[in-house]
Structure formats: structure tokens, C-alpha cells
Amino acid sequence: MLSLPKIVTIIEVGPRDGLQNEKNEVPTEVKLQFIEKLQLAGVEEMELTSFVSPKWIPQMKDAEEIVARTKKIGRQFVLTPNAKGVELAKKATASSFAVFVGVSDTFNQKNINKTTEESMHELRPIVEKLLTEGHFVRACISTSFYCPYEGAIAPAKTIELCRKFVSWGVQELSVADTIGMANPLECFMLFESLKKEFPNTLITAHFHDTRKMGLANILAALQAGVDRFDTSAGGLGGCPFAPGATGNVATEDVVNMLKQMSIDTNINLESLIQAVDIVAPYMSRPIDTGMYKLSKCK
Ligand code: HMG
Ligand code: MG
């Protein structure tokens, strides 16, 4: 007998993960309209942008303006890799922070220019200070299953990294299949272990849909007790330092699947599609998610 949650929280990552790897420059005004429409569709948690080096990720160079001009509805995360990012994000009045690190050293080196251990050493005082100040902190764990450079990652290594973040007191772990290689069995097993070991920490699954196993992995994670998912409107996304990876599993396809299963997300599908309409003309590739294409057939 399937045991599934009645309510699921969607953390929309389209404005951040979705746009960080986009070849075209998306105007700030378009990003702001996209975010506003997502909020109107019912999205209450969102990754808005990243305070990272504009030399590394030029698409996020308008982070300050994005935060300053976004309505403070629900929980809006900004990604911050280091103290400078946190300082800039605080100046822009951000209050929910996402720190990120890869289980794989090689990936972390390519993404943040540090080994995993160096990143953890740097992040610890930053995270502890944010928490003391009353901010919300999520830790995004990249390459939790597979790494584009190192191959399969032992679940014990991922769990060990999660354990460190939990010992620092982070409220949430977002555990990522960065290159979309994990299968439903692997997802069930890792998320079941994480839910058991960290019952007082929010556990979120972040799936990229490279091999089209995103929805199957979500069903597997749901059965392991996960009720929070990072998804991206239009299936946009990908990390510039994870070659071959495509976008995140699409919000509209996840919301639809859950709705069909009588699981509530509080997100209006029609408004969500309208949000995708706002960014679609600026994307370098067509939007090919199931529900988006279906909406154009009517
Ligand atoms: P670095 O070159 O080693 O840093 O980069 P540095 O400290 O030597 O500084 C170099 C320059 O960057 C300096 O400026 C700094 O001031 C500036 P310059 O003197 O040359 O003019 N700088 C910054 N500027 C703005 N904001 C900052 C910042 N820090 C330094 N925070 C660094 C190190 C971490 C900055 C760089 O590697 C970087 O920005 N990396 C970001 C990578 C990234 O954003 N990746 C994508 C997000 S993670 C992801 O997508 C995975 C996820 O979705 C989960 C999954 O799917 O796996 C979350
Ligand atoms: Mg990602």
C-alpha cells in the first residue's frame, strides 16, 4: 500500500537554477515579471537568484535588484557561496539563504574553486552566524548520487556531508541529483536513510531531468516520506559546471502529477503556464515539458 503525503511544498528554482545557465541574456524586467507571476500562481518558496561572481555566472549579475524589487511573500532564497555573497545578499535585505557544496571534490573545485573540505571550513562560521541572527538556511548538496567527473558517489559520503550541516543547525537539506543520473531505487534508498536519520530537518529533493527520470524519482522520494521538491517552471535549468546536465524536473509536470494523485501543492497550473509564457521567448531552446506543450495544443 502506497503511503503518500496529502500536501507537498514546491520550491520553485526557475529564476535561479533555471536561468543561471541560459545562453541568452534575460532582461531583469522579464525575470521580475516571471517571479511575480510565479508568486501569483501560488508559489510560496522560491530560489530567486545567486550572489556569486558575475565573472563565473554572468546571468545572476542583477541579484541585488531582483531581491530588492521582489515582493516579500513566503520564503525567498538566495544562493551564497561565501562571505562576500552573504554580505551582498544581506545588504539587499535577503533573509533566507542557500549555501551549496558538492559531495564530489572535483565538482566542488570546478563550481566554487575549492575542495569540499575547504568549502565546509569556510561555510561553518558563515552558517552559524546566519542562524544566530535568525535567518533561515538551506544547504544544497550537489552530486549527491553521481558526479560528472568522479562517477558514482557512495551514499555514505552524501549522508556524512548532510550530518555536518545538520550538526551546525541548518533548517533544510536540499539533496541534488545534479546531472540527472539517479534512478528511483537509489532515490528511495537515500531519501529513506535521510528521513530516518534527520527527522527534525526539512528534507528536499532536487532532481535534474536529463534522463527523464525526474517524475519517477519524485514518486520514489514521496514514498520515502519526502514532501518538499525543488522544481523549475518550464523545466529550465542546469549548472554550467555540470556538463551534460539538463534542466530541473518541470514544476508544471510535477504539479500536474501530484494533482492527479490528489496531493495538494497550492499552485494554480494555468497561472504557472502563464509564468512560463513570460520567459519562453527569451530562452535559447524551446520549452518541451509535457504540460506546457499540452497547453499550446488547445
Ligand atoms: P574565485 O575566483 O575563487 O573567488 O571564485 P575569489 O575570492 O578569488 O574572487 C574572485 C572575484 O570574484 C573577486 O572580484 C571577488 O570580489 C569576486 P575581482 O577582484 O576579480 O573583481 N567575488 C564575488 N563577487 C560577487 N559575489 C560573490 C563573490 N565572491 C567573490 N559571492 C566563487 C569563487 C565562489 C566566487 C566562484 O567560484 C563562483 O561565483 N561560483 C559560483 C558557481 C555557481 O553559482 N554555480 C551554480 C550554482 S550551484 C548549482 O547550480 C547546483 C544546485 O542547483 C544543486 C544541484 O543541482 O546540484 C544548487
Ligand atoms: Mg540544480
Side-chain angles (χ1 to χ4, degrees):
M1 170 83 181
L2 274 181
S3 163
L4 300 171
K6 294 215 161 10
I7 300 172
V8 154
T9 301
I10 295 290
I11 299 91
E12 170 60 50
V13 298
R16 194 280 303 170
D17 204 329
L19 300 182
Q20 72 184 9
N21 200 25
E22 174 50 46
K23 284 191 200 80
N24 296 338
E25 182 159 344
V26 182
T28 307
E29 292 306 322
V30 172
K31 291 183 185 174
L32 287 165
Q33 284 167 29
F34 180 43
I35 291 167
E36 188 181 10
K37 194 71 196 178
L38 288 165
Q39 289 182 328
L40 286 171
V43 170
E44 286 178 354
E45 300 199 33
M46 194 173 341
E47 282 186 356
L48 285 184
T49 184
S50 311
F51 286 84
V52 292
S53 164
K55 285 182 193 147
W56 285 61
I57 310 274
Q59 296 85 340
M60 300 284 110
K61 64 174 189 260
D62 53 5
E64 199 180 324
E65 190 173 351
I66 294 289
V67 174
R69 292 180 56 197
T70 294
K71 284 201 191 88
K72 307 276 180 276
I73 297 172
R75 204 174 273 147
Q76 293 154 17
F77 293 99
V78 295
L79 258 69
T80 50
N82 54 17
K84 175 157 186 179
V86 168
E87 184 194 320
L88 293 172
K90 276 191 196 162
K91 255 194 216 148
T93 71
S95 60
S96 299
F97 295 77
V99 294
F100 53 103
V101 69
V103 184
S104 146
D105 254 341
T106 318
F107 174 78
N108 204 62
Q109 196 89 50
K110 301 229 186 234
N111 198 34
I112 320 184
N113 210 16
K114 286 195 161 59
T115 64
T116 304
E117 204 182 319
E118 284 165 352
S119 273
M120 292 302 279
H121 183 72
E122 183 182 24
L123 284 175
R124 184 175 186 161
I126 294 174
V127 167
E128 287 177 344
K129 184 155 186 274
L130 283 170
L131 293 169
T132 310
E133 290 165 351
H135 296 295
F136 188 101
V137 180
R138 78 184 323 219
C140 301
I141 317 292
S142 286
T143 57
S144 296
F145 297 87
Y146 290 89
C147 166
Y149 311 101
E150 293 185 13
I153 298 292
K157 264 184 99 177
T158 300
I159 295 170
E160 182 52 36
L161 199 61
C162 291
R163 205 172 276 139
K164 285 193 183 136
F165 277 115
V166 172
S167 77
W168 303 350
V170 301
Q171 290 96 334
E172 181 184 13
L173 295 167
S174 168
V175 178
D177 179 19
T178 308
I179 51 173
M181 266 189 84
N183 66 50
L185 185 60
E186 291 167 318
C187 291
F188 179 82
M189 287 182 348
L190 182 61
F191 283 107
E192 190 187 42
S193 302
L194 294 171
K195 288 295 286 185
K196 256 191 208 142
E197 180 160 349
F198 310 116
N200 301 318
T201 307
L202 296 172
I203 306 287
T204 302
H206 178 115
F207 295 127
H208 283 265
D209 207 14
T210 318
R211 288 164 183 77
K212 298 290 170 218
M213 277 197 268
L215 287 179
N217 288 343
I218 284 190
L219 181 59
L222 281 168
Q223 289 175 68
V226 176
D227 58 1
R228 296 174 61 81
F229 295 95
D230 289 352
T231 64
S232 170
L236 310 172
C239 176
F241 308 105
T246 58
N248 295 85
V249 60
T251 310
E252 55 272 27
D253 290 348
V254 175
V255 166
N256 177 60
M257 179 180 91
L258 296 174
K259 192 174 161 198
Q260 299 301 321
M261 294 164 70
S262 302
I263 299 173
D264 194 15
T265 58
N266 200 32
I267 293 176
N268 180 289
L269 204 44
E270 242 170 73
S271 305
L272 185 58
I273 299 286
Q274 287 163 9
V276 180
D277 281 334
I278 292 171
V279 281
Y282 297 87
M283 298 297 105
S284 50
R285 61 180 174 92
I287 307 284
D288 71 345
T289 70
M291 292 313 287
Y292 190 73
K293 283 198 294 195
L294 194 60
S295 76
K296 303 302 165 207
C297 290
K298 282 174 193 161

